[in-house]
Amino acid sequence: MKYLFAAFFISISLLMHSQEFPDINLNNLDGNSISVKALADSSDIKIFSFWATWCVPCINELDAIADVYEDWQDETNVELIAVSTDDARTKKRVIPLVNGKGWEYQILLDENQDLKRALNINVLPYVVVVKNGEIIHTRTGYTPGSEEELYEVVKEHSK
Amino acid sequence: MKKLLMLLTFCFTVNQMSAQLLDNLRVGLESNMAWYNDDKRTGPFFDGENNDGDEHVRVNSYLKLDYDFLESFTATVQIESYEPLALLNYSPNFEGTDFGIYSLNYRSDKLEASAGHYYEQFGSGLILRNWEDRQLGLNNALLGGRVKYMPTNFLSLTGLYGKQRVGFETADSDIFGFNTEIDISNIFKFESSSLNLGISYVGRQEKTDIEDPNFDELTNAFSGRIDFSKGNFYANAEYVTKSDDVFVINGQVINSFVNPGNALLFNTGFSKKGFGLDATFRRLENMGFFSEREKTGNVFLENNINFTPALTKQHDYLLTNIFVYQAQSQVVFADPQLMEAGEIGGQIDVFYNIKKGTALGGKYGTKLAFNASYWAGLKGDYDFDNLTYDVDYFGFGEKYFSDVSLEIRKKWNKKMNSIFYYVNQYYNQRTIEDNFSGEQIKTNIIVGETFYKFGRIGQSVRLELQKLWSNTENHDWVGGTIEYNASPRLSFYVNDIYNSGTDSSTSENHYYNFGGSFNKGSTRFSLNYGRQRAGLVCVGGVCRFVPEATGLSASLLMSF
């Protein structure tokens, strides 16, 4: 059985490709339904950052980007969409946290993790960079300074 | 075996198809492995659940494929493998290799339909929530059908039927659900405020062998919700009522003890840039709701229809996660001194950003987060001999838990950040764990964390120091973590926690762990060696008990 899984794994590696963004609607903080596919279908680069209020590295990353976000936007027109995966336990903390921190990001709520599941995201933080509806870069986890590498990707594709 | 081969063939066939077709396929692979050791200090490895100490290597693997086709359709399959056995403390129902999830979904602007497995949540989940958490060994999807219809921009209707997934099987009951969401502000074109209503029904139909049951085979739950927001202010309320449900103790239905249940949740907040305030109140009475009555309170979190998480701050550090509150949603009549019918309490959160350029804010500002929570039992009269209780609606009874925490985040300069964290907790072990000899534990915990960037992009070190003081001689913990990030891709860490108290199960043991991880794109591989403290592992608001174990573990995640 182990070998089968290995064979499986190899066959799947052969299938690696750039994938399209799934078609799912999520609510924003005003309770309006937003199509993530419509957001992703843009010639400007969009960064979808999956986070949760209880995830320290997620907050470290969003705090770090918040410090330089204005410069990023001026130079590349990039937009960061912070997708909260908080469920009923912690969802209520999202609005006060976002405002308390003064984040300027568009926030979407993936309360029952439909988008997270559709993208097969298992651990947070998770960043997906999208252009014209196609995923051009993904990254799992955050260590201090990784945002600089993320920005290199954004700059490279925004030309 | 056959199924796997078929799928393998399918994969190769797909591989031969054009790139256009492949664009529509999403694949996720997760594999978690453990090689458990005998441990000189904590004893030889033994798996009490499977009664097995021979199988030291355990692997849980998940392969999920989503395929979009004909513009509106998605097909999903998830294959799961637990061979030779599942990781420690997973339900014995997770055994072997099989299809865990399969579904076919249709989606258009006004209509969504699913056949097969699906995950649904009504409101906050107090009445219904189906979800997956692999770390907790939890997957309670419904297998059946669901239709969502959105005839206008202010109305959404959902109807569903299914049997709940338990291991690779389903529960022996039928679940019916109906949900309506109405956006009032859209109907009346409110410009500056928003008002939404929600109404739900969930029914559980389960046959019973009990003669002359004092309860119906169909249990009905109804919920109503209202959400309001205007400018910086918001408020919402949810009320759930559950029809007569029978008490279950150790898998035995107690026909003479039948009660209805209810839940009230109220939340309000105010926020503007640099400041956020949120307050929550909740009362639960007899709100355990399971797809098989006999499974009430099972440790594997199986058969849960609804979601009643602990509404306390979810802490992130090793020592702040030793005494974790669990919501007391169901009736417990364990002993004349240990009786519960639910819980009542609340929490408050405050976030504040001290502005840049002020004395306390410094060059980068200082971020503060404060949380406090208080939970108690329902006050009232409990009669152990006659199996009755009569509780006050807003009465606070015995204190179960309290938690006060303050977090300060400070960026010193471009290279260095610090987090300071203080927590004070009260933990009523007797009632939270239904443990007769449990203690009333009071703790003070301090955590300091600093990271420092140096060298090339992504190179940094992180240092974390923790100390827990308690009022009992049994718990006096200290801990620390050092992490070195060589680049955004490669990271190593060492941590240890140590209890110098006299608690028989953890005293003078080092719970050390070291390991590393490698990330590239959406692939992550991590390797770990160490000793796991027995206790609660909490993810996303649900906690499970994990046993003490020592060993090597590895994890592989991929998605493309």
Side-chain angles (χ1 to χ4, degrees):
Chain A
M1 201 47 103
K2 270 179 240 160
Y3 299 104
L4 262 179
F5 235 94
F8 223 13
F9 171 74
I10 294 160
S11 65
I12 281 152
S13 311
L14 296 171
L15 296 175
M16 287 234 197
H17 58 285
S18 73
Q19 54 171 242
E20 284 189 19
F21 215 62
D23 187 8
I24 281 172
N25 288 345
L26 297 180
N27 279 354
N28 65 10
L29 294 182
D30 298 327
N32 296 321
S33 180
I34 307 284
S35 157
V36 292
K37 196 172 171 64
L39 278 176
D41 276 337
S42 159
S43 58
D44 285 329
I45 293 185
K46 308 283 176 184
I47 302 170
F48 288 84
S49 175
F50 289 81
W51 67 290
T53 56
W54 45 265
C55 164
V56 173
C58 302
I59 290 172
N60 290 344
E61 173 165 37
L62 291 169
D63 269 346
I65 295 175
D67 286 338
V68 289
Y69 190 47
E70 254 184 46
D71 297 340
W72 285 19
Q73 288 203 299
D74 286 349
E75 287 170 31
T76 60
N77 235 4
V78 66
E79 189 192 0
L80 189 143
I81 297 123
V83 182
S84 150
T85 59
D86 285 277
D87 66 22
R89 174 172 187 191
T90 50
K91 189 186 108 181
K92 297 173 178 15
R93 196 170 275 125
V94 173
I95 294 175
L97 187 148
V98 166
N99 280 316
K101 288 193 170 286
W103 290 346
E104 302 281 353
Y105 312 128
Q106 171 160 199
I107 308 285
L108 297 180
L109 302 170
D110 193 14
E111 194 179 349
N112 207 20
Q113 281 128 50
D114 294 324
L115 182 59
K116 183 175 169 232
R117 201 160 36 234
L119 286 166
N120 293 308
I121 296 170
N122 299 308
V123 291
L124 301 177
Y126 193 96
V127 164
V128 183
V129 183
V130 184
K131 187 179 183 179
N132 295 323
E134 293 255 317
I135 294 173
I136 51 178
H137 176 79
T138 54
R139 194 193 64 224
T140 316
Y142 171 74
T143 54
S146 300
E147 70 278 6
E148 294 166 42
E149 197 191 48
L150 177 64
Y151 191 51
E152 295 299 316
V153 173
V154 172
K155 272 199 294 200
E156 188 190 321
H157 286 89
S158 66
K159 284 165 194 165
Chain B
M1 227 23 187
K2 254 186 191 167
K3 285 175 188 168
L4 265 177
L5 277 172
M6 270 167 63
L7 205 87
L8 205 61
T9 321
F10 167 77
C11 280
F12 278 116
T13 318
V14 170
N15 196 15
Q16 303 306 314
M17 293 187 200
S18 71
Q20 178 64 49
L21 279 173
L22 284 181
D23 272 353
N24 300 332
L25 179 69
R26 296 187 298 275
V27 183
L29 179 75
E30 173 170 2
S31 201
N32 300 312
M33 298 149 258
W35 180 14
Y36 298 109
N37 294 157
D38 297 334
D39 186 320
K40 256 185 278 176
R41 274 207 76 92
T42 60
F45 165 71
F46 188 75
D47 174 358
E49 212 51 62
N50 291 296
N51 229 356
D52 194 328
D54 292 336
E55 297 285 1
H56 287 249
V57 176
R58 310 288 175 93
V59 188
N60 291 6
S61 299
Y62 310 83
L63 175 75
K64 181 163 161 278
L65 306 170
D66 297 286
Y67 190 72
D68 299 331
F69 62 103
L70 296 177
E71 292 198 352
S72 310
F73 289 89
T74 304
T76 295
V77 290
Q78 176 166 304
I79 300 159
E80 301 172 19
S81 165
Y82 306 89
E83 309 252 13
L85 285 171
L87 296 172
L88 273 188
N89 247 45
Y90 277 69
S91 165
N93 292 321
F94 290 116
E95 191 192 13
T97 300
D98 208 338
F99 285 91
I101 297 287
Y102 46 87
S103 69
L104 182 65
N105 305 285
Y106 169 82
R107 198 191 130 93
S108 69
D109 286 345
K110 295 197 166 177
L111 186 70
E112 286 177 38
S114 304
H117 290 92
Y118 57 87
Y119 302 94
E120 181 58 273
Q121 173 174 340
F122 290 167
S124 72
L126 264 179
I127 186 165
L128 177 81
R129 187 185 184 204
N130 308 108
W131 54 302
E132 175 184 39
D133 193 296
R134 294 171 184 172
Q135 285 184 61
L136 294 172
L138 188 158
N139 190 323
N140 61 14
L142 289 172
L143 174 61
R146 173 183 64 180
V147 177
K148 269 188 199 196
Y149 180 50
M150 293 143 280
T152 68
N153 66 351
F154 58 81
L155 186 66
S156 164
L157 306 164
T158 305
L160 62 85
Y161 161 77
K163 284 179 177 290
Q164 190 165 41
R165 182 179 168 194
V166 179
F168 286 120
E169 307 289 322
T170 55
D172 196 11
S173 67
D174 298 292
I175 307 295
F176 307 91
F178 184 74
N179 187 49
T180 311
E181 307 271 343
I182 309 161
D183 188 341
I184 304 280
S185 37
N186 239 335
I187 301 177
F188 296 104
K189 309 263 183 283
F190 294 169
E191 301 263 314
S192 62
S193 61
S194 120
L195 183 66
N196 292 282
L197 297 180
I199 301 160
S200 311
Y201 165 78
V202 174
R204 169 196 63 191
Q205 169 77 36
E206 188 201 2
K207 288 204 163 50
T208 177
D209 299 332
I210 302 279
E211 264 181 55
D212 299 325
N214 290 324
F215 52 91
D216 293 333
E217 290 189 340
L218 176 64
T219 311
N220 299 303
F222 297 90
S223 98
R225 300 180 297 277
I226 182 162
D227 262 284
F228 174 76
S229 72
K230 186 174 170 64
N232 299 324
F233 171 82
Y234 60 88
N236 53 68
E238 181 167 355
Y239 183 76
V240 185
T241 164
K242 186 180 70 157
S243 68
D244 274 346
D245 202 358
V246 68
F247 180 70
V248 174
I249 182 162
N250 298 329
Q252 289 292 311
V253 171
I254 312 293
N255 193 30
S256 55
F257 197 12
V258 173
N259 287 291
N262 67 75
L264 175 67
L265 174 69
F266 180 71
N267 175 251
T268 184
F270 174 83
S271 66
K272 57 179 196 174
K273 198 173 177 192
F275 175 77
L277 172 75
D278 183 89
T280 304
F281 168 85
R282 188 175 72 183
R283 180 191 187 275
L284 298 175
E285 178 183 335
N286 190 21
M287 275 308 289
F289 195 16
F290 294 84
S291 54
E292 286 176 4
R293 296 182 190 92
E294 287 82 354
K295 293 288 193 75
T296 299
N298 72 85
V299 297
F300 299 114
L301 308 172
E302 288 177 317
N303 297 82
N304 273 303
I305 295 175
N306 64 346
F307 179 58
T308 54
L311 295 182
T312 58
K313 180 164 181 181
Q314 186 161 351
H315 300 293
D316 316 281
Y317 297 100
L318 292 167
L319 296 188
T320 54
N321 259 333
I322 292 178
F323 300 108
V324 183
Y325 186 58
Q326 296 280 283
Q328 303 295 302
S329 60
Q330 67 217 43
V331 176
V332 175
F333 267 50
D335 175 85
Q337 269 73 50
L338 186 51
M339 292 179 286
E340 301 171 28
E343 66 165 27
I344 185 166
Q347 69 169 335
I348 185 162
D349 272 295
V350 181
F351 296 89
Y352 185 64
N353 192 6
I354 303 174
K355 283 198 182 92
K356 291 176 191 177
T358 57
L360 285 172
K363 190 179 172 191
Y364 294 96
T366 301
K367 295 181 168 95
L368 307 178
F370 169 81
N371 173 276
S373 64
Y374 184 98
W375 295 95
L378 298 175
K379 190 181 178 188
D381 298 321
Y382 296 83
D383 184 339
F384 188 78
D385 296 326
N386 297 312
L387 292 177
T388 60
Y389 60 82
D390 181 21
V391 290
D392 302 344
Y393 203 82
F394 288 116
F396 281 71
E398 184 178 1
K399 182 177 175 184
Y400 288 170
F401 182 82
S402 70
D403 193 15
V404 178
S405 68
L406 177 68
E407 180 189 293
I408 303 168
R409 283 171 170 259
K410 181 85 197 142
K411 181 170 175 177
W412 305 103
N413 53 47
K414 280 194 166 178
K415 297 200 173 293
M416 198 161 105
N417 285 47
S418 293
I419 301 173
F420 173 82
Y421 200 48
Y422 166 75
V423 187
N424 171 283
Q425 285 175 331
Y426 172 89
Y427 182 83
N428 185 335
Q429 194 176 35
R430 201 171 71 97
T431 51
I432 297 169
E433 299 175 8
D434 298 343
N435 173 355
F436 298 114
S437 56
E439 298 176 272
Q440 315 293 318
I441 299 164
K442 293 175 189 166
T443 62
N444 283 296
I445 307 163
I446 285 181
V447 181
E449 176 180 342
T450 290
F451 68 76
Y452 180 72
K453 289 197 272 187
F454 61 97
R456 58 180 185 276
I457 284 185
Q459 204 173 8
S460 64
V461 285
R462 188 172 72 89
L463 179 69
E464 192 186 289
L465 293 170
Q466 312 181 22
K467 174 73 189 145
L468 178 151
W469 294 269
S470 84
N471 64 324
T472 87
E473 290 179 352
N474 293 339
H475 300 285
D476 187 16
W477 290 84
V478 61
T481 302
I482 298 173
E483 182 181 299
Y484 168 63
N485 301 305
S487 73
R489 298 203 169 79
L490 195 60
S491 170
F492 304 94
Y493 80 95
V494 181
N495 70 37
D496 187 28
I497 58 172
Y498 175 77
N499 181 8
S500 60
T502 54
D503 182 20
S504 59
S505 60
T506 58
S507 67
E508 297 180 16
N509 273 349
H510 282 275
Y511 292 88
Y512 56 86
N513 276 279
F514 54 91
S517 66
F518 176 75
N519 286 290
K520 189 167 189 311
S522 56
T523 301
R524 177 184 172 86
F525 178 71
S526 61
L527 200 64
N528 233 7
Y529 184 82
R531 186 184 285 157
Q532 160 78 47
R533 180 183 63 86
L536 291 166
V537 166
C538 299
V539 178
V542 169
C543 304
R544 278 189 80 213
F545 191 80
V546 298
E548 197 162 65
T550 305
L552 182 73
S553 59
S555 161
L556 176 71
L557 304 172
M558 297 180 89
S559 62
F560 34 86

